[in-house]
Amino acid sequence: MPREVTASVPLVYPSQGKPNKQEIPSQYWSVLSDPQKSHLPHDKYQIQMASLYISALGLVCRELIIVDKENKLEKRITCENDFIDENKQQNKAWFLEKQIIESSSYVEL
């Protein structure tokens, strides 16, 4: 009969603090979490949402396509992050990920 093994060390540790990213207001979290929704209502912007996906870090994320009143388009990624708040409680919130700068120049190999 094989011996019984129990884990004494967790495989993943929750983040120690709130991420240093722009937090999305809580009024939008339920819409962001809903896989059936594809539009995020907002007063200033038209925001389309791509499908939910799991990032390489294991976070639930979505791409946002944001159009302002001048028809300027911006793509951003938002992810739901777990963290331990100032009261030492496990918490989670949606945050905009830091922008990745796209280059218009290409590298030729």
Side-chain angles (χ1 to χ4, degrees):
M1 177 171 217
R3 64 187 171 124
E4 188 173 317
V5 179
T6 58
S8 60
V9 178
L11 291 176
V12 178
Y13 290 98
S15 173
Q16 293 302 309
K18 197 174 203 178
N20 184 18
K21 302 173 189 172
Q22 183 182 347
E23 184 175 344
I24 293 177
S26 60
Q27 69 199 45
Y28 300 115
W29 296 355
S30 63
V31 177
L32 288 166
S33 298
D34 187 343
Q36 303 300 316
K37 302 284 184 182
S38 62
H39 180 262
L40 185 71
H42 196 277
D43 294 336
K44 292 183 184 178
Y45 307 104
Q46 292 178 11
I47 304 174
Q48 296 295 317
M49 300 185 302
S51 298
L52 289 166
Y53 67 92
I54 304 298
S55 75
L57 295 174
L59 304 174
V60 176
C61 300
R62 310 186 89 133
E63 181 182 50
L64 304 179
I65 301 165
I66 305 164
V67 179
D68 67 12
K69 291 181 180 179
E70 298 172 358
N71 285 329
K72 284 179 59 182
L73 179 108
E74 184 176 347
K75 291 183 180 182
R76 296 293 299 270
I77 302 295
T78 182
C79 296
E80 187 177 44
N81 287 256
D82 290 319
F83 60 93
I84 297 176
D85 65 19
E86 57 276 352
N87 298 321
K88 307 237 187 274
Q89 298 295 315
Q90 183 73 28
N91 206 337
K92 63 181 169 179
W94 283 86
F95 294 87
L96 278 176
E97 294 298 316
K98 300 195 184 217
Q99 271 186 304
I100 297 174
I101 298 172
E102 293 183 9
S103 173
S104 60
S105 61
Y106 295 94
V107 175
E108 290 186 35
L109 299 177

